[in-house]
Structure formats: C-alpha cells, structure tokens
C-alpha cells in the first residue's frame, strides 16, 4: 500500500507532462497550418491579381484608357511587390524550425513597400466604384463587362468588377489577422514570439496609415476642385451656416492680428508654402514670357519681305529672297509648331497643375482658424461636438497631406520647369543650326564667298562708309528743302483730357506719343499714337533715362522716351475762326478810311488733313491723310465749331475740325530735290 501511494504522484506528474506535450504538439500543428494558410492564400491572391492585370484588363480595351487607369490603378506595382514577397515566403518552407521567425522578419522587411503600393490603390478605390456604378446604368456595356469577368473568373458571380476590385483591400487587411493566428499558436518563450509581435503591430500600423492616407486624399479631392462659378451661383450658395462660419473665421483672424490671441506657428509648413509660392511665381513668369515670345514670333512671321518686288532681276537680292522664303515656309514655321507643342502646352499644363495645391493651401488657412477656435473651446469646456471633432480632423488631415506631399510636388515642378527650359534652349539651338546651314548654302552663291573673312570685313566697312557718306549728303539736302514739321493734332475726342493736362502741368511738360506703345511690364503703359501725356520724371526708379514716368490724365506709368516728342498746342476751333477773320488792333484809335464796296469774298485759310475721313452724305467731303485743305468757314451753319466747311480738289463740303491741322505756309507744301 505504501508503495502504491508513493507511485501515484509520479504517475500524475507523468500524465501532466504528457498533456503538456500534446498541447504543444497541437499548438505547433495549428501554427504550421496557419503558416501554410498564409502561403496558400498568397498564391491564390497573386494568381487573381495576374488574371485582372492580364486577361480582364486586356479584354476591356473598349473602355477609355483613363477609366482603365482608375479601375486597375497601380495593380502592376502590387503584383511586383507581392511576387517578391511570395517568393521569399515560399523560401522559408525549407527551414521548418526557423520558418515562423523568418515569416515575421519577412513582414517587417516588406512593411514599407506594402504600405506604399496599397495606399495608392486604396485611395483610388472609391473613384473606381463610381465608374462601376456608371457602367451599371448602361445595360449593354454592363452585360459585355459581366461576360468577360464570368469567362475569366467564374467565382465572381453577379458582383463582377466589384468582386475583383475589392480583393487587394481585403488582402492587406487580412495580413494582421493571419499573423495574429500564427502568434496565438506560438509559445511566449519561443524566440519567434517577439518577432511575430512586432510584425503584427507593423501590419496594423500599415492599415492605420493607409486609412489616414485615404482620408487625407478624400479631403484633398474635395478642396482641390477649382470651380468657375458665376456671381449668381456664388450668391445662391450663401446661407446662414456659411455666413456663420465666415464670420467666426474673420473674428478669429482679427483677434490674431490685434494680438489678443496667439497664432499657431508651423515653421515646417511655412517653409514649404514659401517655396511653393516661389515655384508658382517662376511658372507664371515663364508662361507670360513664352506667351510674349510667341506673340512676337507671330508678328515676325507676318513680315514677309521676300514677297515684295525689289525691281532687281538678279544678284544677291534674289538669293536673299529665296533664303528668306525658305526660312519662312520651313524652318521658322517648324520651330513655331515645335515650340507650341514642346514648351507652351507643357507649361500650360504645369500652370494648371498648380491650381489644386493653391486652393488646398487656401482652404488650410480657413480650417486652421476653425481648428484654433476649437482648441480654445476644448481647453475651456473640455469637450467638443461630433461635427467640431470632424472639423479638427479635417484640418489635421489637410496639414498632414500638405506637409507630406508639398516637398515632392515642389521638387517635381522644379524638375518639370527645368526640362521645359532645356527644351526651349534646344529648340533655339536647332533653329540657329538650321538657319546657319541654309544660309551657308546661299552664301556660297554670292560673288564674294571666296574672299577671306578679314578682306571681306574690310570690303563691307568701305562699302558702308561710302554709303553712309551718300546718305548723310542726301539727308542734308533733304533737310534744306523739307518744310517745318507740323504739330500732330489731338486724337478725336481727347481735347478735354489734353486741356486738363495743360492746365495742371503747363505747356512745357506736355508730350505727344509718336508711335503706338505696347506696355510689357507691370508699370508700363499702353498708349496709341497721338496720345498727349504730361512728363512727371525723365527717368525711372533705377535711374534709366530711356524710361519716363508720365501722366495720361487717368493713369500713371512708364513709357519709352524715344517715342515722345514735345507737344505744341494746336489752335482750337475758336482760335482758328479768329485767324480766319480779319484781325483788327483794338489799340489803334485813328479810324482807317473804309474801302470802297466790293463783292463779298470769304476769307480762306490753308490747312492739311491729319486723318482720313470718308464722306457719309452729299453735304460732306472725303479726305486723305496729308491732303491740303482750304477752310472756307470754321463752323457749320448752326455755328458748331466741331465741323468746318472746306474745299478739297474743287469740291466743297463739311469735315470734322479735329481732323485738320494748320500748315505753316499758305502755299501747298512739299519738297523736291534741287535741279
């Protein structure tokens, strides 16, 4: 009996040890089954992805390419990552004892890659579902898509595309569950246990980060839309809620400006925003410069000297015309087409791509004001409503998205900008090369092509010297016989503006524009020929004497000094009438003997027509610019000085008085070379 009692504890401990070993064996078996389930499901999953990417996508080519890009997103990147992951996962099967630990390390190794590819796919998933819904509204298209999917993947059933599109989302969310199952069947003191714990935590973080990224993208897609709304549509959107929000934000902003409440400082974002604004300014300036370049190029192409007859039958002039025609029709035209396609259009696309981030930055400021107000409320009250908590999360999502993606966006824009500039330089170089090649062929036919360059330079200098002497002699002769220049009259309808400038600045400050001026800078003015301006300063802020600051009576700005000449006041219509009438000196007290009665002869005055005028009735007469005109009466029958009765080429009629200017001599003016 004593012996039997002594053996009983040992039997019981042996039984416990046996049960423990059996339990460990069962856990080990479940662990291996869980690992095998991970590998088998990964094989099946990768096979399904390959079917979607190859068979199904290739058979849906009738859909627009943009739709296919949204539906299948970056599925090719997912296949690449998961193919390497599956290969390494199958390699662990050869090491049974270390397999579990190797699986955990493998997930830690692929953590970052899995997050990068799956967050892109998940962010576009909702947009893909919207496309699927639109296909369902077209029965014929839906039947075609459903037939393709059922032929390739019969298990998809009536779900069709929706069944396939959700598979990557289900897989990334299942990884933590499969790892957790392996972890539960691993003893805590095993060396693989902490590795599996880290792997489970890492995959849970991956899913959390994907959800946050997806939420940020949804917020961004909501606020990056740039809508072109009319004033009526904007007013229709105003309600008490929007008025309340805008009033609260304005109040918050005013408090910050007054220093009553602190402003949230975010130096990281401020630096990113500053760089973004700098990049945006560079794109805008380059776009404006290229637009001006294209305009000038178009103007240059409109000038075709080779189409004019030079009355020179042969020689270098003909060769020049042939070269100019060749460049005009081929080299310059091709250059313009390439410039528009390779520089202008990408630049416009780049400028358009900036609109979304600009709107997002603007919305962030609004949401920051809401966030700051809610933070104050949270400190005072201790709680916020559900809507207020959502507003806080909206700002945090916007800020996180901008801080995360603005650096990459800025870098891409700079690279894009640099590529556009390099392309522009290359186009210029190619054009110069083509022009030189074509010009060399034409120069070979010139009579002096065999002359060495130093001798040719000497020949050109001598020829130019003789020509300049002839031109100078001709100019001196021309100036001797040229009549004094007549003052340009005011533009029709601008008399009142000129009188205002005259009374304000005096005659010594008035200048007239000699040719049309097109302003290119911010402070430059665009003025027509004949405009009267008042000189404010004969240099700009940098001391450049070639740019003058002027006043037009309504605007102030800079114009080229070379396109201004001192204005001499043109006599008004009343003065013209006084000049037409007989002048009598009121100081002469001795009466002159009255002449004998004679037939009434109207007093005449000789002027010239400054602007062309087309008669509109039999009471008017047509004019040509520069045509001599004889004024018969400086007013119409009703005494209106704006119309004058004139005689032109034997015809009498009325013309606008503002279209005439005084001539310095009553005789017909002109010039002729001395005999």
């Amino acid at each position: 009996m004593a012996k039997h009692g002594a053996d009983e504890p040992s039997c019981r401990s042996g039984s416990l040890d046996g049960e423990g070993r059996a339990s460990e064996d069962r856990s080990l078996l479940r662990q291996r089954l869980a690992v095998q389930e991970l590998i088998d499901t990964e094989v099946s999953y990768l096979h399904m992805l390959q079917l979607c990417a190859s068979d199904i996508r290739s058979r849906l080519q009738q859909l627009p390419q943009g739709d296919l890009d949204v539906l299948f997103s970056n599925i090719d990147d997912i296949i690449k990552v998961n193919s390497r992951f599956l290969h390494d996962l199958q390699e662990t099967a050869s090491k049974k004892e270390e397999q579990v630990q190797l699986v955990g390390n493998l997930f830690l190794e692929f953590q970052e890659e899995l997050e990068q590819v799956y967050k892109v796919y998940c962010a576009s998933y909702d947009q893909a579902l919207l496309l699927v819904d639109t296909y369902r509204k077209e029965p014929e298209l839906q039947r075609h898509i459903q037939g393709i999917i059922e032929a390739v993947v019969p298990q998809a059933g009536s779900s069709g595309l929706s069944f396939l599109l959700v598979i990557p989302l289900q897989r990334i969310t299942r990884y933590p569950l499969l790892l957790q199952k392996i972890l539960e069947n691993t003893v805590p003191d095993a060396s693989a246990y902490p590795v599996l714990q880290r792997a489970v935590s890492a995959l849970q973080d991956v899913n959390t980060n994907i959800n946050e990224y997806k939420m940020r993208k949804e917020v961004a897609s909501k606020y990056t839309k740039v809508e072109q709304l009319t004033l009526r549509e904007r007013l229709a959107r105003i309600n008490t809620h929007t008025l309340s929000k805008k009033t609260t934000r304005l109040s918050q902003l005013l408090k910050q400006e007054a220093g009553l409440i602190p402003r949230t400082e975010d130096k990281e974002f401020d630096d990113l925003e500053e760089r973004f604004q700098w990049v945006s300014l560079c794109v805008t300036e380059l776009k404006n410069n290229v637009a001006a370049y294209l305009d000038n190029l178009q103007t240059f192409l409109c000038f075709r000297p080779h189409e004019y007859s030079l009355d020179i039958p042969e020689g270098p002039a003909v060769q020049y015309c042939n070269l100019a025609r060749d460049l005009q029709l081929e080299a310059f035209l091709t250059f313009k087409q390439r410039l528009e396609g390779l520089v202008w259009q990408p630049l416009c696309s780049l400028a358009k791509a900036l609109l979304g981030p600009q709107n997002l930055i603007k919305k962030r400021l609004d949401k920051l004001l809401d966030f700051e107000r809610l933070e104050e409320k949270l400190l005072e009250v201790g709680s916020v409503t559900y809507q207020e908590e959502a507003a806080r999360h909206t700002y945090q999502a916007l800020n996180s998205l901008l801080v995360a993606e603005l650096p990459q966006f800025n870098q891409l824009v700079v690279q894009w900008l640099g590529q556009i500039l390099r392309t522009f330089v290359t186009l210029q170089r190619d054009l110069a090369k083509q022009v030189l090649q074509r010009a060399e062929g034409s120069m070979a036919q010139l009579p002096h092509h065999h002359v060495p360059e130093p001798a040719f330079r000497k020949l050109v200098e001598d020829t130019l010297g003789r020509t300049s002497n002839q031109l100078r002699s001709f100019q001196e002769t021309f100036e001797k016989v040229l009549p004094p220049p007549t003052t340009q009259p005011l533009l029709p309808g601008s008399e009142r503006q000129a009188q205002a400038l005259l009374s304000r600045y005096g005659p010594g400050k008035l200048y007239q524009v000699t040719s049309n001026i097109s302003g290119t800078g911010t402070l430059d003015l665009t003025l027509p020929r004949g405009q009267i301006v008042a000189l404010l300063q004969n240099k700009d802020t940098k001391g450049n004497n070639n740019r003058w600051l002027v006043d037009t009576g309504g605007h102030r700005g800079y114009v080229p000094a070379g396109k201004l000449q001192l204005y001499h006041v043109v006599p008004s219509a009343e003065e013209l009438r006084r000049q037409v009438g007989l002048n009598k000196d009121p100081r002469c007290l001795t009466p002159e003997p009255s002449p004998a009665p004679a037939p009434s002869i109207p007093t005449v005055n000789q002027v010239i027509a400054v602007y062309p005028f087309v008669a509109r009735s039999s009471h008017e007469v047509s004019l040509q610019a520069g045509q001599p005109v004889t004024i018969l009466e400086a007013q119409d029958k009703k005494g209106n000085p704006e119309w004058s009765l004139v005689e032109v080429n034997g015809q009498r009629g009325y013309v606008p008085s503002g279209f005439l200017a005084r001539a310095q001599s009553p005789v017909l003016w002109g010039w002729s070379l001395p005999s």
Side-chain angles (χ1 to χ4, degrees), residues 255-385:
K255 289 179 181 178
Q256 291 179 354
E257 293 295 333
L260 300 177
I261 57 177
R263 187 195 303 268
T264 302
E265 298 291 340
D266 190 343
K267 190 174 186 310
E268 181 181 8
F269 174 79
D270 291 342
D271 293 341
L272 291 174
E273 183 189 7
E274 182 180 0
R275 181 168 178 79
F276 172 79
Q277 298 299 345
W278 176 80
V279 170
S280 301
L281 180 62
C282 291
V283 173
T284 304
E285 287 294 327
L286 181 59
K287 184 181 176 183
N288 294 337
N289 290 334
V290 172
Y293 184 90
L294 285 172
D295 290 341
N296 294 333
L297 180 61
Q298 182 62 36
T299 304
F300 170 75
L301 293 178
C302 292
F303 179 68
R304 301 175 180 179
H306 56 273
E307 295 182 356
Y308 296 93
S309 176
L310 301 177
D311 294 331
I312 303 176
E314 58 185 10
V318 176
Q319 295 174 7
Y320 164 76
C321 289
N322 294 334
L323 175 62
R325 185 181 299 107
D326 187 22
L327 294 176
Q328 184 87 14
L329 299 179
E330 295 185 21
F332 292 143
L333 197 60
T334 303
F335 170 73
K336 181 187 175 186
Q337 294 172 351
R338 295 181 69 193
L339 185 66
E340 290 175 344
L342 300 177
V343 174
W344 175 247
Q345 292 179 3
L347 198 55
C348 291
S349 301
L350 180 58
K352 188 177 180 180
L354 295 173
L355 297 178
Q358 287 172 347
N359 200 40
L360 206 60
I361 291 173
K362 180 181 176 182
K363 288 295 181 182
R364 176 196 174 274
L365 177 59
D366 294 339
K367 299 303 177 183
L368 174 60
L369 295 173
D370 296 341
F371 178 80
E372 291 173 335
R373 179 180 58 83
L374 294 175
E375 287 295 302
E376 293 176 9
K377 180 180 178 181
L378 196 60
L379 291 175
E380 295 175 358
V381 182
S383 63
V384 292
T385 64

Side-chain angles (χ1 to χ4, degrees), residues 552-568:
T552 64
H555 300 281
R556 294 186 177 188
Y558 291 98
V559 295
K563 294 190 177 184
L564 298 178
Q565 69 175 7
L566 191 63
Y567 176 69
H568 301 284

Side-chain angles (χ1 to χ4, degrees), residues 52-329:
C52 291
S54 57
D55 295 358
I56 296 178
R57 183 168 57 181
S58 62
R59 298 186 186 185
L60 293 176
Q61 291 303 314
Q62 73 178 71
L63 296 178
Q65 185 60 40
D67 288 11
L68 294 176
D69 293 340
V70 173
L71 289 173
F72 297 97
S73 187
N74 64 329
I75 193 171
D76 295 323
D77 296 334
I78 295 177
I79 291 175
K80 291 178 183 178
V81 173
N82 279 84
S83 296
R84 291 190 292 107
F85 177 73
L86 176 61
H87 176 268
D88 294 348
L89 199 60
Q90 290 173 333
E91 288 290 327
T92 62
S94 60
K95 303 175 181 179
K96 291 293 185 180
E97 296 181 356
E98 303 176 1
Q99 184 178 17
V100 176
Q101 185 171 350
L102 292 175
V103 168
N105 287 328
L106 191 60
F107 271 101
L108 293 175
E109 179 183 344
F110 276 83
Q111 173 188 355
E112 189 172 335
E113 288 188 76
L114 291 172
E115 179 178 332
Q116 291 297 324
V117 294
Y118 278 93
K119 73 178 183 181
V120 174
Y121 185 90
C122 294
S124 62
Y125 175 71
D126 290 340
Q127 192 175 358
L129 290 184
L130 292 176
L131 283 177
V132 173
D133 291 338
T134 59
Y135 299 153
R136 288 173 180 166
K137 296 177 183 178
E138 301 180 24
E140 185 176 349
L141 179 61
Q142 175 63 18
R143 283 195 297 271
H144 176 71
I145 295 174
Q146 189 65 26
I148 292 175
I149 293 175
E150 289 179 354
V152 178
V153 187
Q155 61 268 35
S158 59
S159 299
L161 270 177
S162 301
F163 173 82
L164 299 176
L165 296 179
V166 78
I167 290 177
L169 275 73
Q170 293 174 335
R171 188 60 183 175
I172 192 64
T173 55
R174 195 177 176 188
Y175 282 140
L177 301 178
L178 293 172
L179 282 173
Q180 183 66 34
K181 189 173 182 181
I182 298 174
L183 179 64
E184 291 174 353
N185 293 284
T186 303
V187 293
D189 56 349
S191 59
Y193 193 85
V195 177
L196 289 173
Q197 281 185 318
R198 293 200 305 273
V200 171
S201 178
L203 267 295
Q204 289 173 346
D205 292 342
V206 167
N207 281 273
T208 301
N209 294 339
I210 290 175
N211 288 332
E212 290 180 357
Y213 180 81
K214 185 172 181 295
M215 183 182 70
R216 293 199 299 266
K217 281 294 184 181
E218 290 172 352
V219 172
S221 63
K222 176 182 178 181
Y223 291 115
T224 51
K225 295 177 181 177
V226 180
E227 298 178 316
Q228 301 295 334
L229 301 177
T230 63
L231 180 60
R232 178 175 296 181
E233 291 171 339
R234 292 179 183 276
L235 292 175
R237 292 191 175 189
I238 296 178
N239 51 41
T240 55
H241 178 66
T242 57
L243 286 175
S244 175
K245 283 200 307 183
K246 293 183 181 300
T247 303
T248 304
R249 290 170 182 169
L250 181 59
S251 174
Q252 186 79 6
L253 187 60
L254 290 176
K255 289 179 181 178
Q256 291 179 354
E257 293 295 333
L260 300 177
I261 57 177
R263 187 195 303 268
T264 302
E265 298 291 340
D266 190 343
K267 190 174 186 310
E268 181 181 8
F269 174 79
D270 291 342
D271 293 341
L272 291 174
E273 183 189 7
E274 182 180 0
R275 181 168 178 79
F276 172 79
Q277 298 299 345
W278 176 80
V279 170
S280 301
L281 180 62
C282 291
V283 173
T284 304
E285 287 294 327
L286 181 59
K287 184 181 176 183
N288 294 337
N289 290 334
V290 172
Y293 184 90
L294 285 172
D295 290 341
N296 294 333
L297 180 61
Q298 182 62 36
T299 304
F300 170 75
L301 293 178
C302 292
F303 179 68
R304 301 175 180 179
H306 56 273
E307 295 182 356
Y308 296 93
S309 176
L310 301 177
D311 294 331
I312 303 176
E314 58 185 10
V318 176
Q319 295 174 7
Y320 164 76
C321 289
N322 294 334
L323 175 62
R325 185 181 299 107
D326 187 22
L327 294 176
Q328 184 87 14
L329 299 179

Side-chain angles (χ1 to χ4, degrees), residues 25-42 96 99-100 103 174 178-179 181-183 185-186:
D25 292 341
R26 286 193 298 271
S27 296
L28 184 60
L29 178 61
R30 287 194 295 269
Q31 183 191 74
R32 291 176 179 175
L33 291 175
V35 173
Q36 191 61 42
E37 179 186 2
L38 171 63
I39 298 175
D40 293 343
T41 53
E42 188 69 20
K96 291 293 185 180
Q99 184 178 17
V100 176
V103 168
R174 195 177 176 188
L178 293 172
L179 282 173
K181 189 173 182 181
I182 298 174
L183 179 64
N185 293 284
T186 303

